[in-house]
Amino acid sequence: MPSDAKMRQEIIRLLRADNGGGLRKTTLRQQLGQMDETQFRKVTKAMLADGTMLAGRGGRLALPKEPGPPAVKRGGQTAGAQGAATSGQKRGGQTAGAQGAAPSGQKRGAKSSPAQGAAPSGRHQRGGSPASAKKDEVLVAGVIQMTTKGFGFVNQDGDDNKDIFIPAGRNQSAFSGDRVMVRITANDDARGPVGEVAKVLERGHEEIVGCFGVTDDGYGVRPLRRELPAFIPLIAGDGDAALANGVQPGDWVLVELLHHDSDSSKAQAKLLRRLQKSGTVSGDLVAIMSEYDLPKPYTAAYENAALAQEPLPVAREDCTKLATVTVDPLDARDFDDALSLTPTAEPGVVTVGVHIADVACLIPMDEKLDLAARSRGFTAYLPGKTLPMLPSSLATDRCSLRENEDRLAHTVFIDIETTTGVVRSYRRAHTLIRVRQRLAYEEVERVLESKKHDVSLKPGVEKLLRELSACAEKMRQKRQEEELFLPLAVPEMRVICAGKPPRVVGIQKSEGSPSHEMIEEFMLAANVCVAHEMLKRKIPGVYRNHAAPEPEILEGFAAQAGVMLHRKAPKLRKRPGLVKFLRDLGAGASASMLSFSLLRILPRAEYGVESQGHFGLGKDLYCHFTSPIRRYTDLLVHQQLLALDQGRSPRPGTMLTDYVARCNALEANVDQACYALADRLKVRYLLDQQEGNAALPITGLVSRVTAAGLNIYLPDLGLMGFVPVRSLGAGPWQFVAERYALENRRSSKRYRCGDELSLRIKDADVVRGELELAPVGH
């Protein structure tokens, strides 16, 4: 544990690197990484008392003066993200399922980040037990996660403690992410401890974004986050004042959550400011960026600093004569990897060069640009907007491996047997390269299919692509046989925005293809080679870990899959059985839905300073090295290796531990922001498609059945909807758990997992990103 003085210095450094708006305590905790909570409270209290830092509006902390250049705003709050993680990734680098995540607050055993929860200054007391606690009462502290059904779970302090079940109506005014004191009321053999919230200790969200509105009970806001209550009233006078100042019902607004100790069952909000009109792509973008505390664009000072930065000196090989290509999405603007292939003196063995932008040579450790990149963590690819981790002068220019321009690269040269896909050896070097041609995945696809009549290729490029593809195919076959990676068929559904102001013009479905698989194989190979080098040479590094799911979780999925496919539940407890099941699924909507369902129950992949294996990829050792323009974790690995190559000492592992904890929190936050915006825009697009043609049916698959109704997967949108039991027609309906079905007692009608339904929209909530459906005819 660092000394109080060290923690004070780190807090001052973080506040100094901020852009002057101040940091929430929630964000400050995330930036500090692992630390002692009691020490943090003591140090921050002392710093406020002696004037070292000041508390501003909403409890934001800042230094009395902001010396030095402006910097970026720190990123958001820890939150779970559903589906595969997408932050900072333009492509594979890992198979789908490599980064599965359970929806926040749904999996009971999920651990909440201790960094959650900073409350508005002076709004409520902190720490300790309630004054009214009785002598024999059992009181414990933890972080609460509420469900949309009104009940919740409290993750007790300590990794080995069981979650406490909080029945509906017993949460007082606690919201998801709040740190609470819980009174244990019972112990249930099936559910474990049961309790009720006795006191809110700290708010997980100080400020939230919602839509301003009015009900019969008065003015309030409808929060953007689904895990928060559907409506939070404003304090007296705020609504009238807002109307007088031009705020209209339906506008996105920022409010401060209040909590009054005198009446713990009541929660209110104070309106801070209007953000933008809702109902538009621009308005939704502003709302999401504010809610998830995403960074603003880099200032001119940062862009100028990036342009002026001289490359750090290191021995470098001239590889400009190599035939080198980049393969990226058609609309990509930053190119951080390129490939080359040359024969070796041994027949049947080639050297593939995986050339990665040498970003570390332009980002000195712990200096201005590095601190800014660290605070962002990842490039956020939002529909209609990209928020780069690096200044654009680096991301899309100096670091980007652009066609016909000399560029600094960090290369892994891998010797591979062309007939077996076996990696013979590898070496790493800093290089100077010149990309011969920039290609899109679609163009490479046409070349490999011999449909290249509309693709203009430079000399030698077609031969290079065919040799790379053949080599990659052998490597993939070898991985399938030996590593048994999870072949999850989950297409990416991209929301396409265009125009000024932007609007949703379509949903683009992107599935795996030979061109994507080719690039993925070589990126995976380079990442593994670097991970082995770090471990072998005992370089403190950052690894990408993915834990295996609990056997009972897989058993539940197997039972559900059996019902969906109308056959006996498959045996999925062991890896070969799971892989065979996924391979046999083939393509189509059912395969996509089952893969999507599996992704939702897999643990989330995370970064760590120790290698713990990667379940999704079937690898014992893995890291991220190939996207340093987009991911700070990759940049960290590059910086460690550069220090070693320059004869300097890399960062110690203890320092990396803090950075890694921060990156995991930032990644989850960026992912949730991307999914939250995509869901809302998909709902908006669906409504636009239905306008004037409300009778047009929507095809959906039943992904889950509960007593409350049907969870629906819409394969054409990659979106979830819900059919409440009341919309299924005349009842009574009975939930039959062993058959995962809703059955009508008076008729033979039955709904089961896997059923394909024709549906219509009954209610669409763009604010919450929720879709209520009903079967056509009901």
Side-chain angles (χ1 to χ4, degrees), residues 28-36 114-115 657-659 661-662:
L28 188 57
R29 281 183 175 88
Q30 291 174 355
Q31 303 292 357
L32 287 171
Q34 293 183 351
M35 47 88 186
D36 181 76
T657 299
D658 292 341
Y659 295 163
R662 185 179 309 159

Side-chain angles (χ1 to χ4, degrees), residues 426-484:
Y426 64 89
R427 71 179 181 90
R428 185 179 51 80
H430 297 271
T431 58
L432 181 70
I433 69 168
R434 174 180 281 259
V435 171
R436 181 169 296 182
Q437 186 162 5
R438 184 250 161 160
L439 293 164
Y441 285 113
E442 295 83 357
E443 293 173 320
V444 174
E445 203 68 29
R446 291 198 292 275
V447 171
L448 297 179
E449 294 175 353
S450 297
K451 299 176 181 178
K452 58 182 188 302
H453 58 277
D454 59 342
V455 182
S456 177
L457 297 176
K458 295 185 177 180
V461 170
E462 181 179 355
K463 180 174 182 292
L464 171 62
L465 292 176
R466 294 194 181 281
E467 290 177 340
L468 285 169
S469 177
C471 186
E473 186 176 351
K474 293 296 183 182
M475 295 171 70
R476 189 174 184 85
Q477 291 173 359
K478 181 176 181 296
R479 280 203 308 122
Q480 284 178 333
E481 296 169 1
E482 297 182 1
E483 298 178 352
L484 294 176

Side-chain angles (χ1 to χ4, degrees), residues 218-344:
Y219 296 103
V221 293
R222 301 188 63 241
L224 183 152
R225 290 183 185 260
R226 294 174 185 167
E227 64 268 27
L228 295 180
F231 188 80
I232 300 176
L234 294 174
I235 60 173
D238 257 20
D240 291 328
L243 289 173
N245 289 323
V247 180
Q248 298 296 317
D251 284 353
W252 288 114
V253 294
L254 182 70
V255 301
E256 177 186 352
L257 285 179
L258 309 180
H259 174 72
H260 302 285
D261 291 320
S262 59
D263 183 2
S264 60
S265 65
K266 182 179 180 181
Q268 288 183 301
K270 177 179 175 58
L271 196 147
L272 298 178
R273 69 177 182 274
R274 176 186 183 273
L275 295 175
Q276 204 170 83
K277 181 181 179 181
S278 68
T280 65
V281 173
S282 297
D284 290 350
L285 270 168
V286 170
I288 290 291
M289 291 173 62
S290 180
E291 175 60 48
Y292 292 95
D293 210 8
L294 299 182
K296 295 178 181 178
Y298 276 102
T299 63
Y302 270 103
E303 295 291 351
N304 292 335
L307 287 171
Q309 178 65 51
E310 291 293 327
L312 299 175
V314 67
R316 196 171 294 279
E317 297 180 17
D318 188 344
C319 295
T320 54
K321 301 301 182 184
L322 285 177
T324 307
V325 295
T326 60
V327 183
D328 295 88
L330 191 62
D331 57 353
R333 297 182 61 209
D334 48 5
F335 314 110
D336 55 9
D337 58 83
L339 294 174
S340 64
L341 183 147
T342 53
T344 67

